[in-house]
Amino acid sequence: MWLKPEEVLLKNALKLWMTEKSNDYFILQRRRGYGEGGGGLTGLLVGTLDTVLDSTAKVAPFRILHQTPDSQVYWSIACGATKEEINQHWEWLQQNVMGTLSVFDSSEDITSFVQGKIRGLIAEEGKVSLVQEDDPEKFREALLRFHKWFALPEKEKLVTYYSCSYWKGRVPCQGWLYLSTNFLSFYSYLLGAEVKLIISWDEIWKLEKTSNVILAESIHVAAGGEDHYFSMFLHLHETFLLMEQLADYSIKRLFDKETFQLIPALSDPLQITKRGLETHVRNEQFRAFFRLPRGETLVEVYESFLWVPFSHFNTLGKICVSENYLCFASQDGSQCYVIIPIREIVGVDKPDSSSRAVTVCVRGKRALRFSEVRDYERLANSIRRRCGATASPRHILAGGAGAESCHTLIEHFEDNPEEVALMVGQRDGSKAVSTEALMTVFHPQDAENLDPKMLKEKMKEQSWNIHFAEYGRGMSMFRTRKTRDLIVRGVPEALRGELWLLFSGAINDMVTHPGYYSELVEQSLGTSTLATDEIERDLHRSLPEHPAFQSDTGISALRRVLTSYAYRNPKIGYCQAMNILTSVLLLYAKEEEAFWLLVAICERMLPDYFNRRIIGALVDQSVFEELIREHLSQLTEHMTDMTFFSSVSLSWFLTLFISVLPIESAVNVVDCFFYDGIKAILQLGLAVLDFNMDHLLACRDDAEAVTILNKFFDSVTNKDSPLPPTVQQGATANSERTANSKVDITDLIREAYEKYGDIRSEEVESMRRRNKLFVIQTLEDTTKQNVLRVVSQEVKFTPADLDDLYGLFKRQHFLSCYWTMNSAALLHHDPSLAYLEQYQLAQQQFCSLFALLAPWSHCSSCHLLSLWAFRLLDENQDGLVNFKEFCCGLNILYSGSFTEKLKFLFKMHLPPAFTEIETERPLFSKGRKVSHFRSLSEDFSYFSRLNVSLPDGPEDGVIRKSPERGRGKVDLQAYLKQWQDELLKREESIKDLPRINQGQFIQFSKTLYSLFHGDAEEESLYRAVASVTSLLLRMEEVGRRLQGPPPPTETASAHREPTAVPETVSGLLPAPCASETALQPQEVEWSFAFEQILASLLNEPVVVHFFEKPVDIQARLEHAKVTQLKV
């Protein structure tokens, strides 16, 4: 490897290096303790020194130095791991550089030329792979050590590396931690003791920062039932964050089958960099904080002051600029932030150089003044450029109207919000879309009604109108503590839909996608999928007591929103609880607005909640348990089993308390959720438990605790709700509540904010990441136990062997995903399938693993046999084999009887496993001719000299993709029939097997010879199979003659060649002669039944013994664990 030229003091270097070759300009040296005469005390000391100092010499003990005759300065220009590698560099210098150096007059010119040449070579090598690294030279050296020490595939991408200590027991081992796309690796070498550790990210259960008496601060990694501690980092927090990012990336890619198509920095696992990961995390935090659409990326950040007009002071904070948004967040504790869509910016005033200020004018006659901006001119130009870029065709009036007309149009729709629906959908299909919130249809407000509740509602509206006048209205509104206080007090019914859209960020999605929902409604209309069937089943279970969903108007709107979302996002489709959330959204928002609110909830605010495994909800439950231990320690001490809180709180998170609280109270919770996110739900959950602390501490069992909580939720009311009794869920229970003390939802929410409002959103996100690993691995462990329980009933492997097989199978599945996003396992992943189908192997991955584990792994045709086994086990011919099918095949080979093993091999030589195309090439060496026939029973040694050349199977095999896999449509009848066939499946009789034809039998015979190769009884096995083959052919010939004479043409041929055989077996099978004419294809086909082959082989004890002798599968499993990554 060529190195960036660096000065070397040769006087000191001679103590550690020995010169092997030299000339006037270059020296080739070898590290002391390596190569010839290495080892001993010198080797130990030098090896330890190289590891501790991170010297490249540890893995590259050869180097080349550049020198000039009249200089004492030497320059290192190349290193090598082997003598062959360093000699190649030496030869290149001799051929391409040495001849040129003689033309230079001075040593400086020679050195400059050599350095330029080497730098050019390095730049050429690193154009693609190292262009994004901060320090390409150091990274190249680290990459060399990484591949040398851990022997991982060359495709594995090293992300970064750190110096640290690994604690092995109570002894620290100083070494280097390498973080790559799929693995965490550590290497240490101290005084002959080598420590090497490789952990794949998908195996990690826990990743956290810890501290104790011995370790001030360390990183704890739990994987494979073992705990690993790393400490003494220079930048521990940076290292930990990067480890979290890599673990999260691995989980999303391998478990969630995420392809990151919209994130170029993560779309290719071979190009992952530290910078790309950090940028991705920064963008995610930016979008989450400001509730921006997916795809927005943080482009520029400026520190500045923002003039807050209502408070008459400047607040310090940061300006965050993306392509479509200008955002500001304070950093002085004022909790003030502003989101300005670029589309709403009217102009940017000329920057004020005296105060380095930039004034941004927003429609609605508002202006925001940012001062003390270091690069204020760049900020102003950036905003102007983006304002010009937003004038897309859909915003410009016909006739080429300019930006002024565009803003006029936007202001018109701002003043006339009822016309937005007309702008959003102009197609005929939009007529079916409801343009009114269901609450306004089924509960219109009476302006003349002046009862106390309605008066209080009007006062709330007036408070919000005053707030809008001071802080602004719409997307560019200032959001402060006062905004949160108004939210806690409850949002007025008339403003609820508008504020939900605003605070969730759904308004941005809706405005930037005009007509999208109407198109989805049209496209999804009439589709029949598993999701639509589930939607139809749950439609009438969604707030059935509310009048809006007792009519076709509400049910139809709910159906359209849920079906459209399932069509938009088939990965989620439809999940229970989505109907409850959507029904509440439809009460206060128009149909299209409800759709975009659902998008915001499912795809941004509650990630991974609505899928088959509800991982997001389980993660937040773990976060909730962690917060309970921290804030309600009395409760955790009393209730030792924390699973109670998980079971009782699941519906709280999935439905945002809608399923447990009356609707008039639940909407107040939803108000807080759209403003503060999941933090509001966690706070309220803590407040509920705290409110019932005394009763819960007195409980004797979980059932009693559940009863207490249910009674509490029944007692929660909203005394300010203006809804009539026919709409309020709790109205029918008023008589029952009189005996219990009522709890007002506003007071409960206020108490939650007062007691637990100091919980920061950043802390919640950190806890989410930390607990996600544990939740994922717990689910994976449950899946494994279910799979092993099912498969163990079908096979004879021990539980330990079956557990190892599952680990190898799962790892092989992941290997197909480690270095590509286009593997068959990813492209055809269907999360709706049962747990038995979640991990499957395509042809290439199956063949690699099956070849490692099969008893015939030593034979020359192992790959081809594995290919045929794959086709045989792929019963539904979808190009994928699941774990049960894989184990059943291995079980026959390891635990089956002689008949079962022979039948398996027999079926491997029948379609669809075996195809004639694969044996069309001659199986003998070209030019080989058989001059005369020798009976196999007389001379078996001929077969031991045969040079058989088996063709390789096609690279991708015969993979037939299932038309239903990965799509929304499901043929229920086909699934039911498949299930019925499985139940009625009977043991296959040998009489059911078809006869094997001529070409298939030839290959079957060759397979047997291949299996016997290398066995102690090889010659006896060859003789036995030759005898059986000869006997079967003669039996077939006798049977053919007894059936009648052949046609005249065939009779003539028979006189010349009584038992002619094809070219491919002319030397294998008996025939009276094997002349040149005998090598022509046989016109008369012959075939055998399985019973004939079985009966003949049963008469050969040596063959029966070969197939019935036990094979140690544990040895194969241990070998596979070591070599699986290297295959």
Side-chain angles (χ1 to χ4, degrees), residues 8-65:
V8 173
L9 188 60
L10 194 62
K11 181 179 179 181
N12 294 332
L14 288 174
K15 298 177 182 178
L16 298 174
W17 294 88
M18 300 175 61
T19 301
E20 300 265 311
K21 297 179 183 179
S22 65
N23 56 37
D24 291 340
Y25 299 104
F26 300 103
I27 300 175
L28 190 155
Q29 294 183 327
R30 173 175 57 83
R31 189 75 162 173
R32 288 184 180 275
Y34 295 91
E36 298 177 4
L41 182 59
T42 303
L44 291 177
L45 294 176
V46 174
T48 300
L49 183 64
D50 289 341
T51 303
V52 172
L53 299 179
D54 190 31
S55 171
T56 306
K58 174 65 179 175
V59 291
F62 297 92
R63 72 177 182 179
I64 297 177
L65 304 178

Side-chain angles (χ1 to χ4, degrees), residues 838-857:
Q838 287 303 303
Y839 295 121
Q840 302 181 89
L841 299 183
Q843 175 187 304
Q844 184 178 357
Q845 288 71 41
F846 174 91
C847 291
S848 298
L849 183 59
F850 206 75
L852 282 175
L853 296 173
W856 59 50
S857 56

Side-chain angles (χ1 to χ4, degrees), residues 386-450:
R386 286 177 170 78
C387 287
T390 58
S392 59
R394 66 169 177 263
H395 291 138
I396 300 177
L397 295 175
E404 185 176 348
S405 300
C406 171
H407 289 299
T408 303
L409 178 64
I410 295 176
E411 290 178 4
H412 170 73
F413 283 118
E414 177 72 11
D415 299 332
N416 301 274
E418 69 278 357
E419 297 185 20
V420 173
L422 298 177
M423 177 189 72
V424 170
Q426 298 293 340
R427 303 180 62 171
D428 294 337
S430 63
K431 296 178 181 178
V433 176
S434 174
T435 57
E436 294 293 338
L438 294 179
M439 193 63 77
T440 62
V441 176
F442 289 89
H443 177 49
Q445 292 188 8
D446 186 359
E448 298 180 358
N449 183 5
L450 298 179

Side-chain angles (χ1 to χ4, degrees), residues 515-758:
Y516 177 78
Y517 176 67
S518 298
E519 292 177 0
L520 275 185
V521 171
E522 289 185 3
Q523 294 169 3
S524 62
L525 188 65
T527 57
S528 177
T529 66
L530 185 61
T532 58
D533 293 341
E534 293 177 348
I535 290 171
E536 290 297 327
R537 183 190 63 200
D538 288 348
L539 283 176
H540 295 279
R541 304 176 185 175
S542 310
L543 300 185
E545 67 286 339
H546 198 285
F549 298 101
Q550 295 171 359
S551 69
D552 185 63
T553 302
I555 293 296
S556 298
L558 182 60
R559 177 187 292 112
R560 286 192 295 270
V561 173
L562 292 175
T563 304
S564 298
Y565 185 79
Y567 189 86
R568 163 192 165 88
N569 192 344
K571 186 176 180 181
I572 292 178
Y574 171 77
C575 180
Q576 285 187 350
M578 288 174 65
N579 61 317
I580 297 175
L581 289 173
T582 307
S583 59
V584 173
L585 299 178
L586 283 168
L587 290 178
Y588 294 97
K590 300 172 184 178
E591 188 174 320
E592 183 182 12
E593 295 172 347
F595 169 80
W596 287 113
L597 284 169
L598 183 63
V599 170
I601 292 173
C602 296
E603 298 177 10
R604 293 203 310 271
M605 302 187 72
L606 296 178
D608 298 326
Y609 260 62
F610 303 100
N611 53 38
R612 187 178 62 88
R613 301 197 294 180
I614 57 172
I615 292 173
L618 297 177
V619 170
D620 283 342
Q621 280 186 309
S622 298
V623 173
F624 186 52
E625 291 178 9
E626 193 171 332
L627 291 173
I628 292 173
R629 283 190 288 268
E630 180 180 346
H631 295 277
L632 303 174
S633 56
Q634 285 181 299
L635 204 55
T636 56
E637 292 171 2
H638 175 72
M639 306 185 75
T640 55
D641 187 6
M642 296 293 287
T643 57
F644 163 75
F645 300 109
S646 299
S647 59
V648 77
S649 65
L650 181 60
S651 62
W652 303 359
F653 293 100
L654 282 175
T655 67
L656 308 180
F657 283 93
I658 295 172
S659 62
V660 294
L661 287 174
I663 184 64
E664 66 273 11
S665 301
V667 290
N668 285 40
V669 179
V670 179
D671 295 340
C672 299
F673 168 75
F674 279 126
Y675 191 84
D676 275 322
I678 193 62
K679 171 178 173 286
I681 305 300
L682 293 168
Q683 289 175 178
L684 184 60
L686 291 173
V688 168
L689 296 179
D690 188 21
F691 192 92
N692 295 276
M693 176 76 75
D694 295 337
H695 297 292
L696 292 174
L697 292 177
C699 288
R700 292 181 296 273
D701 53 38
D702 291 351
E704 188 176 350
V706 171
T707 303
I708 289 171
L709 291 176
N710 287 338
K711 287 183 179 180
F712 170 77
F713 287 127
D714 289 339
S715 69
V716 176
T717 184
N718 188 349
K719 61 183 180 182
D720 297 332
S721 175
L723 299 180
T726 56
V727 174
Q728 295 188 26
Q729 288 182 335
T732 57
N734 277 339
S735 58
E736 299 177 9
R737 289 188 190 174
T738 54
N740 300 325
S741 58
K742 296 180 181 180
V743 180
D744 186 69
I745 186 64
T746 305
D747 296 336
L748 185 62
I749 292 175
R750 184 182 293 109
E751 183 178 346
Y753 273 91
E754 289 175 354
K755 287 189 174 182
Y756 310 107
D758 58 343

Side-chain angles (χ1 to χ4, degrees), residues 922-926 928 942-950 1006:
L923 299 178
F924 296 96
S925 302
K926 289 186 178 181
R928 185 184 183 94
Y942 173 75
F943 292 99
S944 62
R945 299 194 302 270
L946 281 179
N947 182 19
V948 180
S949 176
L950 286 179
K1006 294 178 65 58

